[in-house]
Amino acid sequence: WLVVGPPMPARWRTIDLAAHPVRVLQGEVEVALGRGANVLGDPRTALAWIANEVARHGPGLKAGDLVTTGTCVAPVTVSEGNRMRADYRELGSLEMTLASA
């Protein structure tokens, strides 16, 4: 699944996204640690690849399209009731508690 939040502030452009750390916590326990380089070396490289590939097979990306470049951390096993937090440091964080549908 994908969690979508508000647009990022423009300062993301000044951050070295390849070196940028990402932590995932289950409750208070860190269960995954990664960095932007885990996405084709840099998430912007992945975005360029996606944009070129979509353009090659159709009309291409348009303003407002939602694109995900992949994950910076290895997927973790989760269960109903787990409280999860993804911490992107100065870029923000998200937290959720998993519930059954």
Side-chain angles (χ1 to χ4, degrees), residues 44-97:
R44 291 165 291 210
T45 301
L47 178 59
W49 180 85
I50 292 166
N52 290 332
E53 199 64 16
V54 169
R56 200 176 83 183
H57 297 286
L61 296 175
K62 296 178 273 330
D65 284 351
L66 177 64
V67 178
T68 179
T69 58
T71 182
C72 300
V73 298
V76 297
T77 302
V78 295
S79 299
E80 181 179 342
N82 287 154
R83 184 173 50 93
M84 305 299 297
R85 177 179 173 90
D87 182 2
Y88 297 88
R89 299 182 63 163
E90 68 263 26
L91 294 176
S93 64
L94 63 94
E95 188 169 330
M96 69 194 102
T97 300

Side-chain angles (χ1 to χ4, degrees), residues 15-21 34-45 72:
I15 296 172
D16 179 354
L17 294 179
H20 193 75
R35 59 189 181 106
N38 293 348
V39 183
L40 291 180
D42 187 307
R44 291 165 291 210
T45 301
C72 300

